[in-house]
Amino acid sequence: VCEKNPSSSHQRVVWERQIQTARMILDEVFLRHEGPFDTAMLKAAFYEAAATMNSRPLSAKHIKNS
């Protein structure tokens, strides 16, 4: 677990992109749910965000355009 922001500029860009991706996923989860969140639902939202982010390919090198 990284406890501080990376110091290299290229690492900072990746760091900020990951934060932006997590926020977009969590926004979608929160929009689908009505009412207040309890602890279990909040944990599930974080797990869903983590699973979505971890399911992405590490690079676009092997992706072919259709």
Side-chain angles (χ1 to χ4, degrees):
V1 174
C2 185
E3 295 182 10
K4 63 179 183 173
N5 286 341
S7 58
S8 300
S9 63
H10 71 282
Q11 290 177 330
R12 235 180 273 131
V13 172
V14 173
W15 182 264
E16 292 298 325
R17 182 69 179 159
Q18 290 293 329
I19 292 171
Q20 179 184 16
T21 301
R23 290 181 75 181
M24 288 183 343
I25 295 167
L26 290 172
D27 283 345
E28 287 296 319
V29 171
F30 294 152
L31 286 174
R32 286 185 295 184
H33 179 73
E34 296 178 7
F37 273 80
D38 60 2
T39 304
M41 295 179 91
L42 191 57
K43 279 184 180 181
F46 288 137
Y47 287 140
E48 184 174 342
T52 302
M53 292 173 68
N54 289 332
S55 68
R56 299 183 320 171
L58 294 178
S59 71
K61 185 177 182 180
H62 301 293
I63 299 174
K64 297 186 184 222
N65 293 333
S66 301

